[in-house]
Amino acid sequence: MAGRDTDPIPIIGGTGALGFGLAVRWARAGVAVVIGSRDPARATEAAERVRSRVPESDVEGLANADAARRGPIVVLTVPFRAQSETLQNLRDDLEPGQILVDCTVPTAAAVSGKATRTIGVWQGSAAQQAQEMVPDGVTVISALHTVGAKALAEGEGPLDEDVLVCGERKADKARVAALIERIPGLRAVNAGALETARIVETLTPLLISINVRYKAHVGLRITRLPGGDHWA
């Protein structure tokens, strides 16, 4: 396992499929992880499951509020139906200067519909809704919508796919990109301003539809990108 980072990564909703998969992958990469949940007991149980897969990993489980205070980059992996309530409950815990990585996808499953369909969000996207809800000084970056939870949690090899990152400032996106690329096989791609998240979020239902038809776990790859540092 690679050398551990100083700052842990809080994953709010880390007991869910995506959050747990990210926790496993980052733990394997030597990143300290804090799994957050509404139920601290579930968070502790999820942390133990990560340790069973990644012995000697630096992972702990806490209530969402406690987890959110633990690192400068907080990852939100709750379902869309829980996004608003979760962020409302974290208003006193998120602090100016923190980055919130919003992975929320507004699928129709939030209203008992199909996961292969999206629902409209008044603000334009789930990420833009999150930006309206977080305290002043907290920056929302949209990312990690197209990486399959099962591929994260069950596979051990490189993923070989791209992650579209949306946000207002390159410097903030660069910090998130560096974290994403700690996971072998993931490449972060600058997809533009936060408003672009309204397009990126709709790719998840598309990939789900493809997965159903091909019985696969597909990812996204952007071809013909020039080399060099595109975050500077």
Side-chain angles (χ1 to χ4, degrees):
M1 211 164 41
R4 292 195 175 97
D5 292 345
T6 302
D7 294 315
I9 302 301
I11 305 176
I12 306 302
T15 59
L18 177 61
F20 180 77
L22 288 170
V24 169
R25 290 285 180 158
W26 276 323
R28 283 190 184 132
V31 180
V33 174
V34 180
I35 294 177
S37 174
R38 290 179 298 177
D39 181 351
R42 288 190 64 204
T44 299
E45 187 273 334
E48 290 172 352
R49 285 194 290 134
V50 173
R51 279 192 290 271
S52 71
R53 302 227 187 149
V54 190
E56 301 182 5
S57 56
D58 187 353
V59 56
E60 62 181 316
L62 298 172
N64 279 334
D66 295 324
R69 302 188 192 104
R70 294 294 301 277
I73 300 178
V74 180
V75 181
L76 181 68
T77 62
V78 299
F80 179 67
R81 63 179 176 274
Q83 185 205 42
S84 179
E85 180 183 1
T86 301
L87 290 178
Q88 187 64 40
N89 290 339
L90 293 178
R91 283 197 61 82
D92 293 332
D93 305 297
L94 295 171
E95 299 180 350
Q98 281 184 304
I99 292 175
L100 179 76
V101 181
D102 184 74
C103 309
T104 312
V105 179
T107 70
V111 290
S112 301
K114 294 183 178 180
T116 52
R117 297 176 181 171
T118 57
I119 56 177
V121 182
W122 183 262
Q123 292 84 349
S125 66
Q128 289 169 293
Q129 175 173 277
Q131 186 64 78
E132 285 193 1
M133 296 193 66
V134 296
D136 291 342
V138 175
T139 298
V140 172
I141 299 295
S142 173
L144 292 163
H145 300 93
T146 58
V147 182
K150 191 169 185 178
L152 284 167
E154 294 185 0
E156 296 188 8
L159 293 164
D160 190 29
E161 56 189 278
D162 292 335
V163 176
L164 302 179
V165 181
C166 306
E168 300 304 327
R169 296 179 64 247
K170 274 189 177 182
D172 295 327
K173 288 186 283 188
R175 292 175 63 189
V176 174
L179 178 62
I180 290 169
E181 292 182 352
R182 290 294 302 271
I183 298 176
L186 291 187
R187 179 180 63 170
V189 176
N190 187 349
L194 193 64
E195 67 176 6
T196 312
R198 71 184 69 191
I199 301 170
V200 176
E201 289 171 6
T202 64
L203 296 177
T204 302
L206 172 64
L207 295 182
I208 291 173
S209 181
I210 294 171
N211 284 336
V212 169
R213 284 161 177 78
Y214 283 82
K215 296 180 173 56
H217 302 287
V218 301
L220 183 71
R221 174 63 82 181
I222 306 298
T223 63
R224 301 185 184 89
L225 280 180
D229 183 0
H230 300 282
W231 305 100

